[in-house]
Amino acid sequence: MVMKCTAVCLLALAFFGSVCDAQWPGYKPQKPYQKPATPPKQVPYEPQQTKQTFEKPISWVYPADPVVEPTPEVAFELRYPVAAATVAVECRERIAHVEVKKDMFGIGQFINAADLTLGNCGAVAEDSGAQVLIYEAELQDCLSTLALTEESLIYTFTLNYIPRPLGPSPVVRTSQAAVIVECHYPRKHNVSSLALDPLWVPFSAVKMAEEFLYFTLKLMTDDWKYERPSYQYFLGDTINIEAVVKQFFHVPLRIYVDSCVATLAPDISSTPRYGFIDNHGCLLDARLTGSDSRFMLRSAENKLQFQLEAFRFQGADSGLLYITCHLKATSASSAIDVEHRACSWNNGWHEASQIDSVCGSCETANLGPLPSSPKGGQEQWVGKPSPSNPGRKIRDVSQSEVFEWEGDVTLGPIPVGERAA
């Protein structure tokens, strides 16, 4: 019996053991032992090299050498002045009645009545509407002379015009003139004479300008497009002058005309001399003499243009002028200030770049009272010589650094001829 129970128990254990092997979830039968595989041989990493590229290609190149611009051929014809019919005389029974336009030379420049006399007699009246001076003289007065011919009695008067300098300045814009006025009286009846038109021949000469460093100073045609082929001018003409700084390899530059002096010789220290631009770019001519001289509005930073009304020095027979200007250039990014400006007078001071606030110091005590003549003032201010050594300088270190390039340029000789009255 015991043996039978033992066999049953062993059979039960074998059965339950097989059930456990089949259903136990965590149990896995062991696999037969395998030799681990040999790892592959490692090859050293070699990074791939690539060519470095830029997002934008480099556009910088070596600057080209300066090229001298060819001088263009300008269709220019010098216009010689013609006589202006500005004097008329009426021979009356006992007097000579003479009328003279205040614009005696026909150039738009009114003369001063005190500068014009009939013999030694001044004007007796003035027609302000027609701008005419009126003279009346007895036939035997005002230094008249009498000539007798078989047919006529001829009374001759001399109309003398002797211009005085404009204010205390040494310059005049009209020339001396003597107009002969005659009254012819036949012995048997009365006649009246016709107007007398005097003529004289102007002087002329030509010479090229002088260039200094990177600065140029040129005489330009009326339309400012070309360099003027002739240096000949006449009283009443407008002289167009253009100052340019050539930039070459510099940063963009702005040019200024710091001072200008007119003389009879190339030496700026010679006398007589007339400083018409001074005080760091103040064009004083219109303020002193009542002319139309002025700076033009800037068309480019490296270019500055101005107009000067032609004049002669009183008592100088040659009529030649030398104009010497001291030019400056700064970076175009630098501010326009009281030391770098281009101011001219036209019922107030105005700057070529329309920064008029920097022109206040142009009005100094040296200029005297405001002009009283029809076209401007009577006062003169003579400028001091500008430095003769060109170069570059830096302003006060307490201020922002501003580089300057300087140079002197001379134009001349410029012959200024007389106009016929």
Side-chain angles (χ1 to χ4, degrees):
M1 185 66 179
V2 176
M3 294 291 293
K4 184 178 182 179
C5 291
T6 301
V8 172
C9 290
L10 291 174
L11 182 61
L13 288 173
F15 173 77
F16 283 112
S18 63
V19 171
C20 291
D21 290 338
Q23 296 182 357
W24 184 254
Y27 174 80
K28 292 183 179 179
Q30 293 183 355
K31 296 181 179 180
Y33 173 79
Q34 296 181 356
K35 183 178 180 180
T38 303
K41 185 177 181 181
Q42 294 185 354
V43 180
Y45 174 73
E46 295 181 0
Q48 183 177 3
Q49 294 183 350
T50 59
K51 183 178 180 180
Q52 184 179 6
T53 61
F54 297 90
E55 294 182 0
K56 295 182 179 179
I58 297 177
S59 59
W60 184 90
V61 295
Y62 282 98
D65 292 334
V67 178
V68 178
E69 299 179 359
T71 303
E73 294 184 2
V74 182
F76 176 81
E77 181 180 357
L78 182 63
R79 297 187 296 269
Y80 285 88
V82 297
T86 56
V87 179
V89 58
E90 180 183 358
C91 297
R92 300 176 181 174
E93 184 178 355
R94 298 179 56 186
I95 65 173
H97 179 90
V98 181
E99 295 184 359
V100 182
K101 292 182 180 180
K102 295 188 70 174
D103 184 10
M104 181 177 175
F105 295 87
I107 60 176
Q109 180 79 31
F110 289 170
I111 64 173
N112 190 341
D115 297 340
L116 182 65
T117 59
L118 184 64
N120 59 350
C121 301
V124 298
E126 178 179 344
D127 185 346
S128 57
Q131 298 295 338
V132 171
L133 299 174
I134 300 173
Y135 298 81
E136 288 187 350
E138 295 284 344
L139 296 178
Q140 296 82 11
D141 292 341
C142 300
L143 303 179
S144 67
T145 60
L146 173 62
L148 182 64
T149 66
E150 291 185 6
E151 301 295 333
S152 304
L153 296 172
I154 304 174
Y155 291 89
T156 302
F157 299 85
T158 302
L159 196 62
N160 296 309
Y161 176 64
I162 304 177
R164 289 176 291 182
L166 298 168
S169 70
V171 304
V172 292
R173 285 196 164 87
T174 51
S175 55
Q176 294 187 19
V179 180
I180 304 301
V181 177
E182 293 182 347
C183 282
H184 293 238
Y185 293 92
R187 293 184 176 185
K188 294 183 179 180
H189 55 85
N190 295 328
V191 295
S192 296
S193 65
L194 300 176
L196 183 65
D197 297 333
L199 294 171
W200 57 79
V201 179
F203 171 81
S204 63
V206 176
K207 188 177 180 181
M208 295 300 293
E210 176 185 350
E211 182 177 325
F212 188 78
L213 290 180
Y214 294 104
F215 297 102
T216 61
L217 203 60
K218 300 178 181 179
L219 299 179
M220 304 298 291
T221 55
D222 293 343
D223 58 3
W224 294 100
K225 292 183 178 180
Y226 304 102
E227 185 175 0
R228 195 174 191 265
S230 172
Y231 273 30
Q232 175 68 57
Y233 290 90
F234 300 95
L235 292 174
D237 288 346
T238 298
I239 303 175
N240 294 329
I241 302 176
E242 183 180 86
V244 176
V245 56
K246 294 183 179 180
Q247 302 196 210
F248 294 130
F249 309 135
H250 289 291
V251 297
L253 299 177
R254 183 187 297 122
I255 191 171
Y256 302 90
V257 181
D258 194 65
S259 62
C260 281
V261 176
T263 55
L264 290 174
D267 183 7
I268 63 173
S269 62
S270 62
T271 57
R273 59 192 304 275
Y274 177 46
F276 57 90
I277 298 180
D278 212 289
N279 196 13
H280 301 299
C282 298
L283 205 165
L284 307 173
D285 187 62
R287 172 64 177 82
L288 299 175
T289 68
S291 69
D292 291 328
S293 303
R294 61 180 177 137
F295 281 110
M296 312 298 289
L297 292 178
R298 281 189 186 271
S299 59
E301 295 292 356
N302 69 323
K303 181 188 301 182
L304 185 59
Q305 300 167 335
F306 62 97
Q307 294 181 322
L308 178 66
E309 219 173 286
F311 62 88
R312 292 165 62 101
F313 284 102
Q314 186 186 32
D317 297 331
S318 67
L320 298 179
L321 294 179
Y322 287 85
I323 295 177
T324 302
C325 294
H326 184 68
L327 307 180
K328 286 183 178 180
T330 64
S331 170
S333 61
S334 301
I336 297 174
D337 55 24
V338 295
E339 294 185 2
H340 307 87
R341 57 190 176 183
C343 300
S344 50
W345 173 266
N346 182 12
N347 294 325
W349 291 100
H350 303 281
E351 211 277 332
S353 298
Q354 300 181 323
I355 314 295
D356 296 347
S357 58
V358 302
C359 298
S361 59
C362 287
E363 188 68 25
T364 62
N366 295 346
L367 300 180
L370 289 174
S372 58
S373 65
K375 290 194 66 178
Q378 297 290 325
E379 298 298 320
Q380 162 65 13
W381 188 84
V382 177
K384 58 192 176 189
S386 57
S388 58
N389 294 326
R392 187 183 72 181
K393 68 178 183 179
I394 304 177
R395 297 173 62 189
D396 187 356
V397 294
S398 63
Q399 305 176 10
S400 59
E401 191 177 56
V402 177
F403 290 93
E404 291 181 352
W405 287 264
E406 304 179 81
D408 290 340
V409 185
T410 299
L411 280 176
I414 301 174
V416 179
E418 300 176 342
R419 282 187 179 271

